[in-house]
Amino acid sequence: MIIKENYPILGNYLGAIDDLIFYMYRGRRCIRKKPTKVKPPSSPGQVAQQERIASIAIFYQALKEVGIYPYWQKAAEGKVTNGYNLLVQQNLPAFNSNGMICDFSKIRLADGILTLPDELRVNETEEAGVWLLEWTNTPHQVNARVDDCLKLFVMKDCETFDVEPLEVAEGRRRDGQVRFRLPAHLQEYPHLYVLFCSHATGDCSKSKYFNLIKKESYGYLSVDCHRTAG
């Protein structure tokens, strides 16, 4: 704001001229520039990022509903961030410009300092609908306790961010394996996530992804759903 007591050329004019505005403030005549117009974020890149962020907000609610979000808060302790921002950062690469999941192998259901067991693998057994999850317990593994609890979750498809827990007999790291099946209401949820948690400290491991669509032993896989805006 520039205060002008006398402006003889314009007399007592009040109003706008070009990018200047003449106005009265507390009985004194002042001049200021017009505010610069701020363009809305309408570029394709900005719109795509907004779609991703909006979808992750829905995904975040799904994680809260099944009790996973506290692990993100725990993982953020001691960092210059919070649990929600950490969740967003880790999951942005999994979403395309339409806000849909384009790669389930990049979805991170949980994060933390616990170490996943070595050689995690999933096989379909000879018993119809029954799967076998196995792992190797490496001696003296850092950030791992024999009583760490196994948790399994499944997701459905590219546009559905629903996360559902699999009710299995509570497995422990020491067990080295667990059998499970998809119940009738989760038959269309082929995306499996495995993680280990500590009841003692509240810490969690990163989640590990398996695709139950394939009828063979496999590890870290991606799936289709690569539709993009345009």
Side-chain angles (χ1 to χ4, degrees):
M1 175 178 67
I2 301 176
I3 299 175
K4 290 292 184 181
E5 295 290 354
N6 298 303
Y7 212 106
I9 296 177
L10 297 176
N12 295 322
Y13 177 79
L14 297 176
I17 298 178
D18 294 330
D19 63 342
L20 299 177
I21 298 175
F22 296 79
Y23 64 102
M24 296 297 293
Y25 177 71
R26 293 183 178 178
R28 309 183 76 177
R29 194 153 166 271
C30 305
I31 305 172
R32 64 178 173 84
K33 282 191 173 183
K34 292 181 179 178
T36 302
K37 291 184 179 180
V38 179
K39 294 183 179 180
S42 57
S43 73
Q46 290 172 317
V47 172
Q49 190 75 342
Q50 288 176 342
E51 291 289 343
R52 293 186 182 98
I53 295 297
S55 293
I56 291 178
I58 299 172
F59 180 58
Y60 153 75
Q61 292 295 336
L63 296 186
K64 285 185 66 178
E65 288 179 8
V66 293
I68 296 178
Y69 182 64
Y71 296 128
W72 286 99
Q73 294 174 303
K74 181 69 175 179
E77 290 182 358
K79 298 180 180 179
V80 189
T81 186
N82 57 37
Y84 182 77
N85 289 338
L86 185 62
L87 184 156
V88 171
Q89 176 188 354
Q90 296 286 345
N91 284 282
L92 267 178
F95 291 81
N96 66 15
S97 58
N98 284 334
M100 296 187 298
I101 298 173
C102 61
D103 190 340
F104 278 90
S105 72
K106 293 181 180 178
I107 284 288
R108 184 71 57 81
L109 254 63
D111 196 11
I113 64 171
L114 292 193
T115 305
L116 282 168
D118 293 328
E119 300 177 352
L120 265 171
R121 55 200 179 274
V122 171
N123 287 291
E124 191 174 19
T125 68
E126 294 181 357
E127 184 179 354
V130 177
W131 298 83
L132 177 64
L133 173 67
E134 299 177 282
W135 58 90
T136 299
N137 284 319
T138 304
H140 311 298
Q141 196 171 30
V142 177
N143 292 327
R145 297 168 56 99
V146 295
D147 60 347
D148 288 339
C149 181
L150 170 71
K151 291 183 180 292
L152 304 180
F153 297 88
V154 288
M155 293 186 68
K156 188 177 181 181
D157 56 37
C158 309
E159 300 177 356
T160 303
F161 307 143
D162 185 28
V163 179
E164 295 290 341
L166 276 184
E167 300 297 334
V168 296
E170 186 168 288
R172 301 285 182 171
R173 188 185 292 264
R174 68 167 70 91
D175 298 334
Q177 66 176 38
V178 68
R179 290 174 179 264
F180 67 93
R181 67 169 68 241
L182 293 179
H185 69 287
L186 295 179
Q187 287 298 309
E188 296 183 357
Y189 287 68
H191 304 290
L192 173 70
Y193 296 88
V194 179
L195 51 101
F196 282 81
C197 306
S198 170
H199 288 318
T201 65
D203 289 304
C204 188
S205 70
K206 290 178 170 58
S207 57
K208 176 78 171 180
Y209 170 69
F210 293 95
N211 183 342
L212 299 183
I213 295 175
K214 296 181 72 67
K215 304 297 184 180
E216 57 183 283
S217 176
Y218 45 78
Y220 206 68
L221 300 178
S222 61
V223 295
D224 57 6
C225 194
H226 292 282
R227 287 175 286 173
T228 57

